[in-house]
Amino acid sequence: MFDHMGFAVSDLQRSHDFYLHALAPLGYGLVMSIGKEQTGGYEGHAFGPAGQPAFWIGTGEATSRGLHVALRAQSAEQVEAFHAAALAAGGRDNGAPGPREHYAPGYFGAFVLDPDGNNVEAVYRGPAA
């Protein structure tokens, strides 16, 4: 349904470094960066799979804290790898990897708070238990 999404972060370089490592297990890499000279003031980085700029972070005034973003994983192992990578990159645990059947049959997720306190989740929707 969504093509891409983005939000402002308080420290662009810190968030860039966090997401570069945290999203790698999900197959997301840095796709592009844009600067003030291109936009007239905004600076941002886009991450995504296979060269698709799907997940943007950038400068600007944060409109909220506690944003929740759930990114699709291809396996429970990817969810576990995301969680470990995000913690190693400075994220804070907000829910260890595991089944969450109360959300949906076969739901396996993990939650990490990014440097700004946003709740970033990796979720795999596998076969129902």
Side-chain angles (χ1 to χ4, degrees):
M1 175 199 260
F2 296 109
D3 181 73
H4 63 277
M5 61 90 54
F7 54 91
V9 295
S10 64
D11 183 325
L12 186 58
Q13 185 62 52
R14 178 180 68 172
S15 291
H16 166 275
D17 296 345
F18 170 79
Y19 282 111
L20 186 65
H21 293 93
L23 299 180
L26 300 177
Y28 278 54
L30 181 65
V31 175
M32 64 185 300
S33 298
I34 57 174
K36 294 176 184 178
E37 61 280 352
Q38 295 159 303
T39 66
Y42 173 82
E43 295 177 277
H45 302 292
F47 301 88
Q52 300 171 19
F55 184 86
W56 284 86
I57 57 169
T59 58
E61 185 176 338
T63 56
S64 68
R65 295 282 185 236
L67 177 71
H68 178 200
V69 177
L71 301 168
R72 183 171 294 136
Q74 300 303 309
S75 66
E77 292 78 17
Q78 269 193 341
V79 171
E80 292 168 348
F82 155 81
H83 188 260
L87 294 180
R92 292 177 288 141
D93 178 49
N94 199 33
R100 290 180 169 72
E101 297 284 327
H102 55 282
Y103 292 143
Y107 197 107
F108 189 93
F111 304 85
V112 176
L113 298 176
D114 79 358
D116 285 309
N118 295 306
N119 187 24
V120 183
E121 175 186 6
V123 61
Y124 171 63
R125 293 178 183 265

